[in-house]
Structure formats: structure tokens, C-alpha cells
Amino acid sequence: MILLDSISKDLTSWINALKEELPADEVVTWDEVKDPSKVKVAVVWNHRKDLFQRLPNVELVASLGAGVDHIVNDPHLLKEIPVSKVISSHLTVPMSNYCIGAILHFHKQFDKYWEDKNQKRWHQEFDPEKPMKIGILGLGELGTDLAKKLVLLGFEVHGLSRTKKNLESVSTYGGNELNTFLSRINTLVCMLPATPKTEGIINQDLLNKLPKGSYLINVGRGKQQIDNDILKALENGRLKGAFLDVFPEEPLPKTSPLWTHPKIFITPHIAVVTKVEAAVPQIVENYHRLRNGEPLINLIDRDKGY
Ligand code: NDP
Ligand code: OXD
């Protein structure tokens, strides 16, 4: 039996797609579960609080996205239960496009030309492109795709991950080289997973290590950023602009000063929205593998938490 559960997402299309792929199996929501001990796979996005306590025989928990913090932060999920995430070009393509859009916005100074337009000012600069040295924090599935595409666009690209990677034409750094990485870039793109080590990583101390007039793009997770430190960095010129897709509290409260700051672009956690066609084939594949006793795909490392 496959159970789908979310308190924030309408799961109808997911359930229909899974039922179509697995016509002989039971695909259910929590309200339809008569015997929770029959649930073998739980497919979740922001699941109900006590879900894992009620599933004694679950053998796989599948995230409906790339992030798994909503699952691994649940203390009731036993450490030995495998957790899978979505890995797909349906995710990497929109994520890279979001980041490239934000980078090009700053690179081509579209914010300045928008202001010029409002002032009816014809200011033809000799050198209209802002030089960009882009640093990607997190060179995983998403970060690697972005790094490769930025190289093709002709940008200078740096990338940092916990373990140093080898990527053609990208300057790479290991986790203990954060200061060097920051000193060589002027645009920081955060694509980190939410873990205890990444919580609050975008803080005053980190931002002060960037050169003055840098740019920030955060598409990782909101708890990685300290909003007040970002506001201070914009005030003192350390940052010239920011694109934020994620926030410590979502939806972003109406009282947040981020909403009205002229140098901050806000999107409501839509850098990627996982589509049915991205996740369902992988869930079905793992369901068959589980039944056949074969190794599962797209599993996260439960010790690392991502
Ligand atoms: P991966 O697990 O593939 O990659 C994570 C990367 O982060 C790895 O390179 C890893 O290093 C690195 N990393 C982890 N912890 C640290 C650390 N403490 N210091 C330095 N590097 C670290 O994840 P994805 O690329 O698939 O996704 C990344 C995150 O993006 C997701 O977890 C999610 O939070 C976010 N996301 C946001 C979306 C949105 O719409 N805004 C949509 C989808 C995802 P190593 O390779 O050495 O393990
Ligand atoms: C994800 C997300 O993790 O949408 O997939 O944030």
C-alpha cells in the first residue's frame, strides 16, 4: 500500500497518476487507511505530525521534492528507514533557469535601467555589464547543473561543497575553504540542504567576507538566512541586491521588512515546484524495486541528513 500525505499540497493529481501506474495496488490518503500496518511506502510533503508513529511497517519514505528536511527533522522516523528524494531534469532545469534569470538581472543591471526608465534618463554606459564572479554554495544535483550552464554562458564560476568536487572550468572548494571561496566571488547562490550545519549560514559574518557591492540569491532553505543580517548588509553596501525564494517562516509574514525593501526580490518558494511527471516515475520505480528486493534509487544519506 502507498500512502500520500501533505498538509500543504493538494495531492489529487499525484494520487491519480500513481493509481494509473499501479492499477493493482492500493494508493491512498490518510483518511482512506483502514490498517496503517499495511502501508509500505509513504510519499510525503509536509506530512501530518504523528504520521510516522502510526506506520509501523513503512519501508520507504519518499519526498515529493529535492529537499528532505521535512522528513529527516521528524524525530519519529527511525534511522534505518530509507528516505528518497526527487532527482530529475524537471527540477534542475527550472532551478538553473531561476538562478540564471536572477544573475542576468544583476549582470545586465536591469534594476538600474528600470529606474532610469522611470526617470526618463538615457544613460548609455560605456561598460553596461556588471562583472560577475559567481559562487555556488552546494554543488549537488542542482548546484552542479547551474555551474555547468553558467560556464557555458561565459561566467567565472566557483563552487563549494562539503567534499571538494572536480568540475571542468569551475573553481571548486571543500567545506573548510569557505573563507577563500567567499573572497573570490561577488555573487553568492545558496543551494544548500537544510541541516544543523547549514542553519543560519547566511549571516553577518559570512556576508562581511564578500566584497562590497555583492549579490545574494538564496534558493536553498529559509532557515539558512538571517533576515536582519541581509537587511544590514544591504544598508551598509556589502550587498547591492538579493533574490530570495525561501524564508525562515513561509508564507513570509506581511509584517516582514523584506517585502518592501527596494533591493530585494521576493518569490514565494517557486524556484522549482515539483511536477507529477518528475516524481511519479521514480516513486513507481522504487515501489517495484522494494517488492523485488532490489536496491532503491535516489536515496539520501540518513547520517548526513540530505
Ligand atoms: P544535493 O543533496 O544533491 O546537494 C547538496 C549539496 O550541498 C552537496 O554538494 C553537499 O556537499 C552540499 N552541502 C551539504 N552540507 C554542506 C555544508 N555544511 N557545507 C558545504 N556544502 C554542503 O541537493 P540538491 O542539489 O538536490 O538540492 C539542494 C537543496 O535545494 C535542497 O535540499 C532544498 O533545500 C533546495 N531546493 C529548493 C527548491 C526551491 O524551490 N527553492 C527546490 C528544490 C530544492 P557534498 O556533495 O560534499 O555532500
Ligand atoms: C524542494 C522544494 O525541496 O520545492 O523540492 O523546495
Side-chain angles (χ1 to χ4, degrees):
M1 182 185 281
I2 302 186
L3 164 73
L4 281 91
D5 193 56
S6 174
I7 53 168
S8 57
K9 233 182 180 43
D10 176 10
L11 295 173
T12 315
S13 53
W14 301 85
I15 292 169
N16 291 342
L18 276 168
K19 280 186 173 165
E20 211 170 298
E21 292 293 324
L22 301 166
D25 294 275
E26 277 189 281
V27 180
V28 294
T29 60
W30 180 253
D31 294 338
E32 295 163 324
V33 175
K34 290 194 180 67
D35 179 0
S37 71
K38 287 199 178 139
V39 174
K40 296 286 179 213
V41 175
V43 181
V44 298
W45 186 263
N46 294 335
H47 55 278
R48 69 197 60 231
K49 239 184 178 166
D50 53 355
L51 184 72
F52 297 139
Q53 278 161 290
R54 301 205 208 167
L55 302 178
N57 295 323
V58 71
E59 290 175 22
L60 169 67
V61 177
S63 169
L64 273 184
V68 290
D69 39 305
H70 55 109
I71 299 172
V72 297
N73 286 343
D74 186 326
H76 299 297
L77 185 66
L78 299 178
K79 206 60 193 280
E80 56 269 24
I81 307 294
V83 172
S84 68
K85 59 179 266 189
V86 181
I87 300 177
S88 164
S89 59
H90 289 283
L91 267 61
T92 49
V93 170
M95 178 57 95
S96 291
N97 286 348
Y98 178 99
C99 296
I100 290 167
I103 289 164
L104 292 182
H105 178 92
F106 291 135
H107 176 58
K108 297 296 290 188
Q109 302 193 82
F110 285 147
D111 42 355
K112 172 197 171 293
Y113 292 111
W114 180 254
E115 191 47 40
D116 283 356
K117 187 222 170 213
N118 287 336
Q119 306 293 328
K120 299 186 179 170
R121 186 170 52 215
W122 183 268
H123 181 216
Q124 194 178 44
E125 284 171 272
F126 175 66
D127 192 1
E129 283 165 344
K130 176 111 182 119
M132 300 292 243
K133 293 186 276 176
I134 302 159
I136 304 172
L137 205 44
L139 270 187
E141 297 295 334
L142 301 173
T144 301
D145 187 70
L146 177 64
K148 288 180 182 168
K149 287 172 177 168
L150 289 172
V151 167
L152 291 177
L153 289 175
F155 286 107
E156 177 179 325
V157 185
H158 302 253
L160 181 140
S161 43
R162 232 169 46 101
T163 50
K164 188 173 165 148
K165 301 290 183 292
N166 195 359
L167 266 180
E168 206 180 323
S169 305
V170 177
S171 303
T172 55
Y173 306 79
N176 58 356
E177 296 175 290
L178 183 64
N179 290 350
T180 313
F181 166 80
L182 294 170
S183 70
R184 292 184 182 162
I185 66 174
N186 65 3
T187 302
L188 178 67
V189 185
C190 179
M191 307 182 96
L192 288 170
T195 67
K197 288 211 173 98
T198 64
E199 187 163 340
I201 190 167
I202 306 172
N203 57 29
Q204 194 171 0
D205 185 45
L206 176 144
L207 294 169
N208 279 341
K209 288 176 182 148
L210 291 168
K212 277 216 158 218
S214 290
Y215 297 102
L216 170 70
I217 298 163
N218 188 14
V219 288
R221 279 290 182 265
K223 292 219 163 87
Q224 287 154 3
Q225 81 199 22
I226 308 294
D227 288 353
N228 280 338
D229 290 1
I230 293 175
L231 288 165
K232 267 186 226 145
L234 284 162
E235 270 152 39
N236 66 28
R238 183 64 54 185
L239 285 180
K240 202 156 179 245
F243 260 84
L244 305 175
D245 184 54
V246 288
F247 303 90
E249 187 184 341
E250 294 179 7
L252 181 63
K254 290 210 188 301
T255 53
S256 169
L258 298 181
W259 279 116
T260 47
H261 198 289
K263 291 183 178 161
I264 298 179
F265 288 81
I266 287 177
T267 48
H269 201 140
I270 50 74
V272 179
V273 177
T274 310
K275 312 261 180 348
V276 172
E277 60 270 28
V280 163
Q282 305 180 10
I283 295 164
V284 171
E285 168 82 19
N286 263 345
Y287 189 63
H288 290 314
R289 283 170 174 257
L290 202 62
R291 285 224 294 225
N292 298 333
E294 293 166 7
L296 302 178
I297 58 166
N298 300 345
L299 293 185
I300 63 141
D301 182 330
R302 289 293 315 268
D303 288 326
K304 288 198 276 181
Y306 66 91

